[in-house]
Amino acid sequence: MFARARAAVAPGARIGGYLPLEQYGALGDGRSVALSGSDGSIDWWCVPNMDSPPLFDRLLDAENGGCFVLQPSEPFTVERGYRAESNVLETVFTTASGCARLTESMNSGNAGRLPWAELARRVEGIEGSVRFDLVMRPGRRGDTVNPYHSTIGRHTVFHVERVLGLFVHDDALACDWADEGITGTLTVAPGERRTVAIVAGRDEPLVAPDIRQIDARIDVSDKEWRDWSAGVAYAGADRDAFLRSALALKLLLYSPSGAIAAAATTSVPEAIGGKKNWDYRYAWIRDAGYTIKAFLAAGAEAEAKAAFTWLLNQLRETGTRVCYTLGGGAVPPVSEWRMPGYRGSQPVVTGNLATNQQQHGVYGDIFETAACFVACGNILDSASAKLLSHLADKCADRWRTPDAGMWELEDEQHYTMSKISCWQALARAVELADQGQLPTTCRERWSRERDRVAQWIEDECWSDKQQAFVMYPGSDRIDASLALAVRFGFDGRARLKLTLDAIDRELGAGPFHYRYSGMEKEEGCFLACSFWMVEALAELGHRDEARARLERLTAALSHGNGILSEMIDPETGAFLGNLPQGLSHLAHVMALAVLDEANDCD
């Protein structure tokens, strides 16, 4: 799945200056992520961290945004994809005069992540002769900064506020400097290889490596990715597809802290021209919990443990919030940049309002994560057990109150999925106590409240009219997140299958699904929902149907470049929303894991 793709829209045929989102691939080093377009333009890269201000921001400002372009001078066609079991990206450009390969990497070293940001781009001639135009233009972040360059020793460096950068190349490359950036050309013939790179940092001394060292690190990085992939435990028939999503999730793991970013971008719209343009460069408890389970399913215990420890530390130090910064602590208030936004979609924001919402789903997410961590043979320490016991008590007290729900809505209700999450938390707490992982002092209380929640859901949330669990009591609206109730082991399998039928009936659009009733008027289909449906059907024993759905989804997403966005337009296939979107990839991973009967964590 998502192996190698030809662009659905001709490369370079931007829409109002903006590249279709499905034509981006992602590069990462465990600290930041860059988006590389199929036309040779890197349009998004935050330095040095995923949630830092962007160095390149053409993704949100086609005319004045920063970019790093390496593109054939004449018309071209493209074939691109990731190297096998790696996050090193290859693009083959074919022109009338020849063919050349562009290999791109956010470099690491033999000992892991480098202590600086290093973005490397290697061009190799394959046939004939291909000339490339080069542009490196730092962004102005909506005219809040003015980049400039200066000479320090023998180096020309660029400055963007507190970011210091170096454009590294061989002596044969002639380039022109201006405050706006760099322009130049390079030509390759068969067997020739030219490499250019950016080394950058923020408020730190800058290393000035030789271009030959940087070029060699492309292959070192590729080997590091392949070594990691070799340790992925999944051995099912869909291993290549499983690995591609696992590698995308690995890009979102912020290695300095262990946090897992929801996505690598901000303000990419859920509908073109719409206002649902949020900053996802933070760590949600929900996404972290699901991703930890996905890493456990992949046998990536080091990543799962790091993320789980980070999550527990945040609960201890900052309290129960919906999301946190990647470095830890509360997400800042929302602010706006004066930028056009992707295809004119405003506002362009940093920060996220969800951090202060009340969402009961966090209880279920935390306890499901703990339960899966333990189920794979691991042990909770006494401090973590005490913290989890306190959270179970909190859930037992608060489950009767309304909340913002999984979808972070302004209208607080008694959302069915939130109640199921409370049931899930208390059920897992009882199980962990029975296993000796949690103190048993309040075990009977948790058990009683678990059963009360279950009865309340059965009594209040079922609709005879819809023949389904509805979004909240008294409503006829259907919520696709209820497919997750199957994963969580909620009772009433017959009713859950009827609910899945209602999700298909009310929210389905081809192989895809909208989040809940009415969203077809506001946004695209939410990719995770369709993978949740595959997983739920497989869990309920409908494996042939689940497999057929997965194959339809795979075919419908095959025009991408290996990463998934948050949403998709079901009519055009255009990707929508922030990307790479962790929730989409982890839902894909879990669907494959459930379809593989040999998976040890299910």
Tab-separated table of all heavy atoms in Angstrom, residues 1-5 80-86 237-248 511-512 527-528 530-531 534 547 549-565 568 575 584-592 595:
chain	number	residue	atom	x	y	z
A	1	MET	N	0.838	-1.202	0.000
A	1	MET	CA	0.000	0.000	0.000
A	1	MET	C	0.872	1.251	0.000
A	1	MET	O	1.863	1.314	0.723
A	1	MET	CB	-0.888	0.004	1.247
A	1	MET	CG	-1.949	1.076	1.251
A	1	MET	SD	-2.999	0.904	2.707
A	1	MET	CE	-4.247	2.102	2.325
A	2	PHE	N	0.516	2.199	-0.798
A	2	PHE	CA	1.209	3.483	-0.875
A	2	PHE	C	2.678	3.312	-1.277
A	2	PHE	O	3.538	4.045	-0.829
A	2	PHE	CB	1.160	4.241	0.454
A	2	PHE	CG	-0.076	4.052	1.261
A	2	PHE	CD1	-0.012	3.704	2.601
A	2	PHE	CD2	-1.314	4.209	0.679
A	2	PHE	CE1	-1.145	3.528	3.343
A	2	PHE	CE2	-2.459	4.032	1.419
A	2	PHE	CZ	-2.379	3.693	2.753
A	3	ALA	N	3.026	2.310	-2.083
A	3	ALA	CA	4.435	2.037	-2.359
A	3	ALA	C	5.031	3.046	-3.342
A	3	ALA	O	5.823	3.887	-2.972
A	3	ALA	CB	4.599	0.622	-2.910
A	4	ARG	N	4.646	2.961	-4.605
A	4	ARG	CA	5.130	3.923	-5.593
A	4	ARG	C	3.950	4.426	-6.395
A	4	ARG	O	3.071	3.659	-6.770
A	4	ARG	CB	6.168	3.290	-6.529
A	4	ARG	CG	7.523	3.125	-5.872
A	4	ARG	CD	8.588	2.759	-6.887
A	4	ARG	NE	9.882	2.688	-6.228
A	4	ARG	CZ	10.713	3.690	-6.114
A	4	ARG	NH1	10.397	4.870	-6.609
A	4	ARG	NH2	11.870	3.559	-5.503
A	5	ALA	N	3.910	5.705	-6.639
A	5	ALA	CA	2.725	6.265	-7.298
A	5	ALA	C	3.124	7.281	-8.347
A	5	ALA	O	4.106	7.998	-8.198
A	5	ALA	CB	1.812	6.918	-6.270
A	80	ARG	N	7.622	8.270	-8.058
A	80	ARG	CA	8.311	8.427	-6.774
A	80	ARG	C	7.782	7.437	-5.756
A	80	ARG	O	6.696	6.886	-5.864
A	80	ARG	CB	8.174	9.859	-6.249
A	80	ARG	CG	6.790	10.215	-5.754
A	80	ARG	CD	6.632	11.680	-5.354
A	80	ARG	NE	7.785	12.356	-4.875
A	80	ARG	CZ	7.797	13.240	-3.861
A	80	ARG	NH1	6.669	13.498	-3.198
A	80	ARG	NH2	8.883	13.860	-3.500
A	81	GLY	N	8.583	7.215	-4.749
A	81	GLY	CA	8.201	6.354	-3.641
A	81	GLY	C	9.338	6.257	-2.647
A	81	GLY	O	10.482	6.650	-2.920
A	82	TYR	N	9.034	5.721	-1.480
A	82	TYR	CA	10.073	5.510	-0.474
A	82	TYR	C	10.909	4.283	-0.813
A	82	TYR	O	10.404	3.319	-1.399
A	82	TYR	CB	9.427	5.312	0.904
A	82	TYR	CG	8.859	6.567	1.502
A	82	TYR	CD1	7.506	6.858	1.404
A	82	TYR	CD2	9.691	7.476	2.162
A	82	TYR	CE1	6.972	8.013	1.956
A	82	TYR	CE2	9.170	8.631	2.711
A	82	TYR	CZ	7.814	8.902	2.606
A	82	TYR	OH	7.307	10.048	3.142
A	83	ARG	N	12.165	4.330	-0.432
A	83	ARG	CA	12.967	3.114	-0.482
A	83	ARG	C	12.319	2.060	0.413
A	83	ARG	O	11.671	2.394	1.410
A	83	ARG	CB	14.399	3.389	-0.010
A	83	ARG	CG	15.253	4.182	-0.988
A	83	ARG	CD	16.684	4.262	-0.485
A	83	ARG	NE	17.558	4.980	-1.407
A	83	ARG	CZ	18.862	5.181	-1.188
A	83	ARG	NH1	19.413	4.707	-0.071
A	83	ARG	NH2	19.590	5.829	-2.066
A	84	ALA	N	12.506	0.811	0.053
A	84	ALA	CA	11.886	-0.281	0.802
A	84	ALA	C	12.272	-0.208	2.280
A	84	ALA	O	13.456	-0.046	2.614
A	84	ALA	CB	12.308	-1.630	0.216
A	85	GLU	N	11.257	-0.262	3.158
A	85	GLU	CA	11.438	-0.311	4.607
A	85	GLU	C	12.221	0.881	5.132
A	85	GLU	O	12.976	0.782	6.100
A	85	GLU	CB	12.121	-1.628	5.024
A	85	GLU	CG	11.360	-2.853	4.549
A	85	GLU	CD	11.884	-4.157	5.093
A	85	GLU	OE1	12.935	-4.138	5.773
A	85	GLU	OE2	11.257	-5.193	4.853
A	86	SER	N	12.002	2.050	4.526
A	86	SER	CA	12.784	3.243	4.863
A	86	SER	C	11.930	4.488	4.709
A	86	SER	O	10.913	4.497	4.011
A	86	SER	CB	14.008	3.322	3.940
A	86	SER	OG	14.722	4.526	4.126
A	237	ALA	N	0.558	-11.046	5.769
A	237	ALA	CA	0.643	-10.878	4.320
A	237	ALA	C	0.736	-9.416	3.912
A	237	ALA	O	1.196	-9.108	2.811
A	237	ALA	CB	-0.578	-11.528	3.665
A	238	ASP	N	0.313	-8.516	4.785
A	238	ASP	CA	0.312	-7.085	4.472
A	238	ASP	C	1.515	-6.362	5.073
A	238	ASP	O	1.436	-5.185	5.396
A	238	ASP	CB	-0.976	-6.439	5.002
A	238	ASP	CG	-2.221	-7.075	4.423
A	238	ASP	OD1	-2.429	-6.949	3.212
A	238	ASP	OD2	-2.975	-7.712	5.181
A	239	ARG	N	2.633	-7.061	5.203
A	239	ARG	CA	3.779	-6.469	5.908
A	239	ARG	C	4.244	-5.150	5.276
A	239	ARG	O	4.539	-4.201	5.987
A	239	ARG	CB	4.949	-7.455	5.959
A	239	ARG	CG	6.167	-6.884	6.679
A	239	ARG	CD	7.265	-7.893	6.921
A	239	ARG	NE	8.484	-7.261	7.405
A	239	ARG	CZ	8.712	-6.883	8.665
A	239	ARG	NH1	7.786	-7.092	9.580
A	239	ARG	NH2	9.837	-6.301	9.017
A	240	ASP	N	4.302	-5.074	3.958
A	240	ASP	CA	4.775	-3.841	3.324
A	240	ASP	C	3.871	-2.660	3.678
A	240	ASP	O	4.344	-1.560	3.995
A	240	ASP	CB	4.842	-4.003	1.805
A	240	ASP	CG	5.982	-4.905	1.362
A	240	ASP	OD1	6.871	-5.196	2.191
A	240	ASP	OD2	5.979	-5.330	0.195
A	241	ALA	N	2.548	-2.892	3.635
A	241	ALA	CA	1.599	-1.829	3.976
A	241	ALA	C	1.694	-1.475	5.454
A	241	ALA	O	1.648	-0.299	5.834
A	241	ALA	CB	0.184	-2.277	3.628
A	242	PHE	N	1.811	-2.490	6.304
A	242	PHE	CA	1.942	-2.273	7.741
A	242	PHE	C	3.184	-1.439	8.030
A	242	PHE	O	3.143	-0.469	8.798
A	242	PHE	CB	2.033	-3.634	8.445
A	242	PHE	CG	1.978	-3.572	9.945
A	242	PHE	CD1	0.787	-3.811	10.623
A	242	PHE	CD2	3.112	-3.298	10.693
A	242	PHE	CE1	0.732	-3.771	12.004
A	242	PHE	CE2	3.073	-3.249	12.071
A	242	PHE	CZ	1.881	-3.491	12.740
A	243	LEU	N	4.299	-1.803	7.406
A	243	LEU	CA	5.554	-1.080	7.631
A	243	LEU	C	5.459	0.367	7.182
A	243	LEU	O	5.984	1.258	7.853
A	243	LEU	CB	6.704	-1.762	6.882
A	243	LEU	CG	7.474	-2.846	7.624
A	243	LEU	CD1	8.537	-3.437	6.704
A	243	LEU	CD2	8.119	-2.286	8.889
A	244	ARG	N	4.778	0.627	6.061
A	244	ARG	CA	4.722	2.001	5.580
A	244	ARG	C	4.012	2.890	6.586
A	244	ARG	O	4.448	4.017	6.850
A	244	ARG	CB	4.022	2.029	4.206
A	244	ARG	CG	3.905	3.383	3.562
A	244	ARG	CD	5.184	4.210	3.584
A	244	ARG	NE	6.350	3.503	3.116
A	244	ARG	CZ	7.578	3.782	3.501
A	244	ARG	NH1	7.816	4.746	4.403
A	244	ARG	NH2	8.599	3.098	3.034
A	245	SER	N	2.909	2.398	7.169
A	245	SER	CA	2.226	3.214	8.178
A	245	SER	C	3.009	3.264	9.477
A	245	SER	O	3.027	4.287	10.162
A	245	SER	CB	0.811	2.677	8.419
A	245	SER	OG	-0.084	3.191	7.452
A	246	ALA	N	3.675	2.170	9.862
A	246	ALA	CA	4.510	2.185	11.068
A	246	ALA	C	5.647	3.197	10.920
A	246	ALA	O	5.987	3.917	11.868
A	246	ALA	CB	5.067	0.792	11.348
A	247	LEU	N	6.231	3.268	9.740
A	247	LEU	CA	7.300	4.238	9.488
A	247	LEU	C	6.774	5.668	9.531
A	247	LEU	O	7.463	6.583	10.004
A	247	LEU	CB	7.959	3.956	8.137
A	247	LEU	CG	8.930	2.770	8.107
A	247	LEU	CD1	9.157	2.286	6.683
A	247	LEU	CD2	10.254	3.136	8.769
A	248	ALA	N	5.555	5.881	9.053
A	248	ALA	CA	4.954	7.215	9.144
A	248	ALA	C	4.730	7.597	10.601
A	248	ALA	O	4.982	8.746	11.008
A	248	ALA	CB	3.635	7.250	8.373
A	511	PRO	N	-15.835	3.984	-0.360
A	511	PRO	CA	-15.131	3.234	0.684
A	511	PRO	C	-14.871	4.051	1.946
A	511	PRO	O	-14.344	3.524	2.926
A	511	PRO	CB	-13.808	2.862	0.010
A	511	PRO	CG	-13.566	3.974	-0.963
A	511	PRO	CD	-14.943	4.393	-1.462
A	512	PHE	N	-15.262	5.321	1.940
A	512	PHE	CA	-14.929	6.233	3.027
A	512	PHE	C	-16.146	6.555	3.895
A	512	PHE	O	-17.280	6.217	3.557
A	512	PHE	CB	-14.331	7.525	2.475
A	512	PHE	CG	-13.128	7.301	1.605
A	512	PHE	CD1	-13.176	7.560	0.240
A	512	PHE	CD2	-11.951	6.824	2.149
A	512	PHE	CE1	-12.065	7.345	-0.560
A	512	PHE	CE2	-10.831	6.607	1.359
A	512	PHE	CZ	-10.894	6.863	-0.002
A	527	LEU	N	-10.421	9.573	7.333
A	527	LEU	CA	-9.830	8.303	6.931
A	527	LEU	C	-9.812	7.268	8.054
A	527	LEU	O	-10.060	6.083	7.816
A	527	LEU	CB	-8.407	8.529	6.412
A	527	LEU	CG	-8.301	9.260	5.073
A	527	LEU	CD1	-6.845	9.455	4.693
A	527	LEU	CD2	-9.033	8.509	3.977
A	528	ALA	N	-9.520	7.702	9.276
A	528	ALA	CA	-9.445	6.747	10.383
A	528	ALA	C	-10.760	5.997	10.555
A	528	ALA	O	-10.761	4.801	10.888
A	528	ALA	CB	-9.062	7.458	11.673
A	530	SER	N	-12.888	4.869	8.433
A	530	SER	CA	-13.038	3.733	7.518
A	530	SER	C	-12.142	2.572	7.920
A	530	SER	O	-12.528	1.402	7.778
A	530	SER	CB	-12.751	4.180	6.085
A	530	SER	OG	-13.652	5.202	5.697
A	531	PHE	N	-10.955	2.865	8.426
A	531	PHE	CA	-10.095	1.794	8.933
A	531	PHE	C	-10.674	1.206	10.225
A	531	PHE	O	-10.552	0.005	10.477
A	531	PHE	CB	-8.676	2.311	9.154
A	531	PHE	CG	-7.918	2.576	7.879
A	531	PHE	CD1	-7.426	3.842	7.599
A	531	PHE	CD2	-7.684	1.562	6.964
A	531	PHE	CE1	-6.728	4.091	6.425
A	531	PHE	CE2	-6.983	1.799	5.781
A	531	PHE	CZ	-6.504	3.068	5.511
A	534	VAL	N	-13.123	-1.385	9.221
A	534	VAL	CA	-12.453	-2.629	8.838
A	534	VAL	C	-12.094	-3.438	10.082
A	534	VAL	O	-12.372	-4.647	10.177
A	534	VAL	CB	-11.185	-2.326	8.008
A	534	VAL	CG1	-10.361	-3.597	7.794
A	534	VAL	CG2	-11.558	-1.700	6.669
A	547	ARG	N	-11.736	-7.682	4.818
A	547	ARG	CA	-10.644	-7.738	3.839
A	547	ARG	C	-11.044	-7.025	2.546
A	547	ARG	O	-10.246	-6.272	1.975
A	547	ARG	CB	-10.291	-9.196	3.568
A	547	ARG	CG	-9.335	-9.431	2.407
A	547	ARG	CD	-8.007	-8.745	2.567
A	547	ARG	NE	-7.255	-9.250	3.715
A	547	ARG	CZ	-6.054	-8.778	4.070
A	547	ARG	NH1	-5.506	-7.773	3.388
A	547	ARG	NH2	-5.432	-9.271	5.119
A	549	ARG	N	-13.173	-4.602	2.203
A	549	ARG	CA	-13.179	-3.153	2.453
A	549	ARG	C	-11.758	-2.596	2.434
A	549	ARG	O	-11.514	-1.506	1.899
A	549	ARG	CB	-13.831	-2.858	3.792
A	549	ARG	CG	-15.348	-2.957	3.795
A	549	ARG	CD	-15.856	-2.809	5.218
A	549	ARG	NE	-17.296	-2.923	5.284
A	549	ARG	CZ	-18.129	-1.886	5.435
A	549	ARG	NH1	-17.654	-0.666	5.531
A	549	ARG	NH2	-19.431	-2.076	5.500
A	550	LEU	N	-10.848	-3.314	3.058
A	550	LEU	CA	-9.467	-2.848	3.094
A	550	LEU	C	-8.899	-2.742	1.687
A	550	LEU	O	-8.192	-1.779	1.367
A	550	LEU	CB	-8.610	-3.792	3.939
A	550	LEU	CG	-7.134	-3.409	4.051
A	550	LEU	CD1	-6.972	-2.100	4.813
A	550	LEU	CD2	-6.329	-4.510	4.723
A	551	GLU	N	-9.223	-3.695	0.840
A	551	GLU	CA	-8.716	-3.653	-0.529
A	551	GLU	C	-9.288	-2.460	-1.290
A	551	GLU	O	-8.589	-1.822	-2.086
A	551	GLU	CB	-9.042	-4.965	-1.233
A	551	GLU	CG	-8.224	-6.138	-0.691
A	551	GLU	CD	-8.619	-7.476	-1.292
A	551	GLU	OE1	-9.591	-7.503	-2.103
A	551	GLU	OE2	-7.978	-8.485	-0.962
A	552	ARG	N	-10.570	-2.137	-1.039
A	552	ARG	CA	-11.154	-0.962	-1.697
A	552	ARG	C	-10.498	0.322	-1.197
A	552	ARG	O	-10.246	1.250	-1.976
A	552	ARG	CB	-12.656	-0.926	-1.451
A	552	ARG	CG	-13.432	-2.010	-2.200
A	552	ARG	CD	-14.915	-1.710	-2.263
A	552	ARG	NE	-15.544	-1.728	-0.944
A	552	ARG	CZ	-16.060	-2.805	-0.377
A	552	ARG	NH1	-15.989	-3.980	-0.990
A	552	ARG	NH2	-16.641	-2.732	0.810
A	553	LEU	N	-10.238	0.400	0.111
A	553	LEU	CA	-9.553	1.574	0.660
A	553	LEU	C	-8.146	1.710	0.078
A	553	LEU	O	-7.709	2.805	-0.284
A	553	LEU	CB	-9.468	1.457	2.186
A	553	LEU	CG	-10.704	1.834	2.982
A	553	LEU	CD1	-10.556	1.394	4.432
A	553	LEU	CD2	-10.946	3.336	2.913
A	554	THR	N	-7.450	0.591	-0.006
A	554	THR	CA	-6.091	0.606	-0.550
A	554	THR	C	-6.082	1.152	-1.971
A	554	THR	O	-5.258	1.998	-2.323
A	554	THR	CB	-5.503	-0.817	-0.525
A	554	THR	OG1	-5.459	-1.284	0.815
A	554	THR	CG2	-4.108	-0.840	-1.115
A	555	ALA	N	-7.006	0.675	-2.785
A	555	ALA	CA	-7.080	1.140	-4.172
A	555	ALA	C	-7.421	2.626	-4.236
A	555	ALA	O	-6.857	3.379	-5.045
A	555	ALA	CB	-8.116	0.322	-4.935
A	556	ALA	N	-8.316	3.078	-3.364
A	556	ALA	CA	-8.755	4.477	-3.389
A	556	ALA	C	-7.682	5.437	-2.877
A	556	ALA	O	-7.771	6.642	-3.125
A	556	ALA	CB	-10.028	4.638	-2.563
A	557	LEU	N	-6.680	4.921	-2.174
A	557	LEU	CA	-5.614	5.762	-1.622
A	557	LEU	C	-4.292	5.583	-2.365
A	557	LEU	O	-3.286	6.173	-1.977
A	557	LEU	CB	-5.405	5.430	-0.139
A	557	LEU	CG	-6.572	5.797	0.784
A	557	LEU	CD1	-6.397	5.140	2.152
A	557	LEU	CD2	-6.691	7.299	0.928
A	558	SER	N	-4.295	4.813	-3.438
A	558	SER	CA	-3.044	4.441	-4.099
A	558	SER	C	-2.385	5.599	-4.836
A	558	SER	O	-1.231	5.479	-5.262
A	558	SER	CB	-3.294	3.284	-5.069
A	558	SER	OG	-4.195	3.675	-6.092
A	559	HIS	N	-3.096	6.719	-5.011
A	559	HIS	CA	-2.504	7.866	-5.712
A	559	HIS	C	-1.656	8.715	-4.789
A	559	HIS	O	-1.065	9.701	-5.216
A	559	HIS	CB	-3.593	8.726	-6.356
A	559	HIS	CG	-4.589	9.289	-5.378
A	559	HIS	ND1	-5.383	8.494	-4.590
A	559	HIS	CD2	-4.912	10.563	-5.059
A	559	HIS	CE1	-6.156	9.258	-3.836
A	559	HIS	NE2	-5.886	10.521	-4.103
A	560	GLY	N	-1.575	8.364	-3.512
A	560	GLY	CA	-0.736	9.109	-2.580
A	560	GLY	C	0.716	8.701	-2.687
A	560	GLY	O	1.091	7.816	-3.465
A	561	ASN	N	1.553	9.347	-1.888
A	561	ASN	CA	2.998	9.112	-1.931
A	561	ASN	C	3.533	8.442	-0.676
A	561	ASN	O	4.698	8.590	-0.337
A	561	ASN	CB	3.739	10.438	-2.172
A	561	ASN	CG	3.664	10.873	-3.626
A	561	ASN	OD1	3.984	10.114	-4.525
A	561	ASN	ND2	3.202	12.085	-3.851
A	562	GLY	N	2.660	7.709	0.035
A	562	GLY	CA	3.146	6.953	1.185
A	562	GLY	C	2.734	7.512	2.523
A	562	GLY	O	2.976	6.899	3.550
A	563	ILE	N	2.123	8.699	2.543
A	563	ILE	CA	1.630	9.260	3.795
A	563	ILE	C	0.155	9.593	3.638
A	563	ILE	O	-0.319	9.868	2.535
A	563	ILE	CB	2.425	10.504	4.247
A	563	ILE	CG1	2.331	11.628	3.206
A	563	ILE	CG2	3.875	10.134	4.540
A	563	ILE	CD1	2.903	12.949	3.698
A	564	LEU	N	-0.560	9.558	4.747
A	564	LEU	CA	-1.989	9.819	4.747
A	564	LEU	C	-2.293	11.136	5.440
A	564	LEU	O	-1.662	11.493	6.435
A	564	LEU	CB	-2.729	8.690	5.471
A	564	LEU	CG	-2.652	7.307	4.832
A	564	LEU	CD1	-3.343	6.284	5.726
A	564	LEU	CD2	-3.265	7.312	3.441
A	565	SER	N	-3.294	11.821	4.929
A	565	SER	CA	-3.793	13.032	5.564
A	565	SER	C	-4.896	12.653	6.542
A	565	SER	O	-5.189	11.479	6.769
A	565	SER	CB	-4.338	13.992	4.500
A	565	SER	OG	-5.403	13.379	3.794
A	568	ILE	N	-10.301	13.007	3.256
A	568	ILE	CA	-10.238	12.891	1.807
A	568	ILE	C	-11.569	13.348	1.233
A	568	ILE	O	-12.628	13.167	1.855
A	568	ILE	CB	-9.922	11.440	1.389
A	568	ILE	CG1	-9.574	11.344	-0.084
A	568	ILE	CG2	-11.081	10.501	1.745
A	568	ILE	CD1	-8.968	10.004	-0.486
A	575	PHE	N	-6.689	14.774	-0.982
A	575	PHE	CA	-6.432	14.720	0.451
A	575	PHE	C	-6.796	16.059	1.088
A	575	PHE	O	-6.649	17.117	0.482
A	575	PHE	CB	-4.961	14.421	0.725
A	575	PHE	CG	-4.564	12.972	0.511
A	575	PHE	CD1	-5.407	12.077	-0.136
A	575	PHE	CD2	-3.338	12.503	0.961
A	575	PHE	CE1	-5.045	10.754	-0.326
A	575	PHE	CE2	-2.960	11.187	0.778
A	575	PHE	CZ	-3.807	10.307	0.124
A	584	SER	N	-4.774	8.523	11.172
A	584	SER	CA	-5.059	7.751	9.962
A	584	SER	C	-4.131	6.553	9.858
A	584	SER	O	-4.568	5.426	9.573
A	584	SER	CB	-4.905	8.641	8.717
A	584	SER	OG	-5.812	9.721	8.739
A	585	HIS	N	-2.846	6.786	10.075
A	585	HIS	CA	-1.880	5.690	9.948
A	585	HIS	C	-2.046	4.646	11.044
A	585	HIS	O	-1.934	3.439	10.784
A	585	HIS	CB	-0.461	6.248	9.947
A	585	HIS	CG	-0.057	6.848	8.646
A	585	HIS	ND1	0.246	6.099	7.537
A	585	HIS	CD2	0.066	8.144	8.263
A	585	HIS	CE1	0.560	6.896	6.527
A	585	HIS	NE2	0.461	8.150	6.943
A	586	LEU	N	-2.306	5.071	12.270
A	586	LEU	CA	-2.428	4.065	13.328
A	586	LEU	C	-3.723	3.269	13.179
A	586	LEU	O	-3.776	2.086	13.519
A	586	LEU	CB	-2.306	4.697	14.711
A	586	LEU	CG	-3.381	5.664	15.177
A	586	LEU	CD1	-4.471	4.913	15.936
A	586	LEU	CD2	-2.757	6.727	16.078
A	587	ALA	N	-4.792	3.902	12.645
A	587	ALA	CA	-6.011	3.146	12.371
A	587	ALA	C	-5.748	2.096	11.297
A	587	ALA	O	-6.265	0.971	11.351
A	587	ALA	CB	-7.129	4.091	11.942
A	588	HIS	N	-4.935	2.451	10.311
A	588	HIS	CA	-4.535	1.498	9.274
A	588	HIS	C	-3.738	0.343	9.874
A	588	HIS	O	-4.001	-0.838	9.583
A	588	HIS	CB	-3.701	2.236	8.219
A	588	HIS	CG	-3.176	1.366	7.127
A	588	HIS	ND1	-1.867	1.410	6.719
A	588	HIS	CD2	-3.774	0.414	6.362
A	588	HIS	CE1	-1.678	0.538	5.744
A	588	HIS	NE2	-2.813	-0.073	5.502
A	589	VAL	N	-2.778	0.667	10.744
A	589	VAL	CA	-1.967	-0.358	11.402
A	589	VAL	C	-2.832	-1.313	12.213
A	589	VAL	O	-2.685	-2.541	12.158
A	589	VAL	CB	-0.891	0.302	12.294
A	589	VAL	CG1	-0.307	-0.691	13.295
A	589	VAL	CG2	0.233	0.876	11.428
A	590	MET	N	-3.771	-0.761	12.995
A	590	MET	CA	-4.595	-1.612	13.845
A	590	MET	C	-5.547	-2.477	13.019
A	590	MET	O	-5.824	-3.625	13.381
A	590	MET	CB	-5.372	-0.762	14.844
A	590	MET	CG	-4.486	-0.105	15.892
A	590	MET	SD	-3.336	-1.258	16.717
A	590	MET	CE	-4.469	-2.463	17.397
A	591	ALA	N	-6.048	-1.960	11.899
A	591	ALA	CA	-6.893	-2.777	11.028
A	591	ALA	C	-6.112	-3.969	10.491
A	591	ALA	O	-6.612	-5.108	10.475
A	591	ALA	CB	-7.435	-1.931	9.881
A	592	LEU	N	-4.870	-3.734	10.073
A	592	LEU	CA	-4.043	-4.831	9.578
A	592	LEU	C	-3.703	-5.813	10.686
A	592	LEU	O	-3.685	-7.035	10.469
A	592	LEU	CB	-2.760	-4.268	8.963
A	592	LEU	CG	-2.933	-3.452	7.677
A	592	LEU	CD1	-1.596	-2.859	7.255
A	592	LEU	CD2	-3.505	-4.308	6.560
A	595	LEU	N	-6.646	-8.055	11.351
A	595	LEU	CA	-6.830	-9.007	10.262
A	595	LEU	C	-5.797	-10.131	10.300
A	595	LEU	O	-6.016	-11.209	9.755
A	595	LEU	CB	-6.765	-8.286	8.914
A	595	LEU	CG	-8.049	-7.570	8.486
A	595	LEU	CD1	-7.795	-6.701	7.270
A	595	LEU	CD2	-9.151	-8.573	8.201
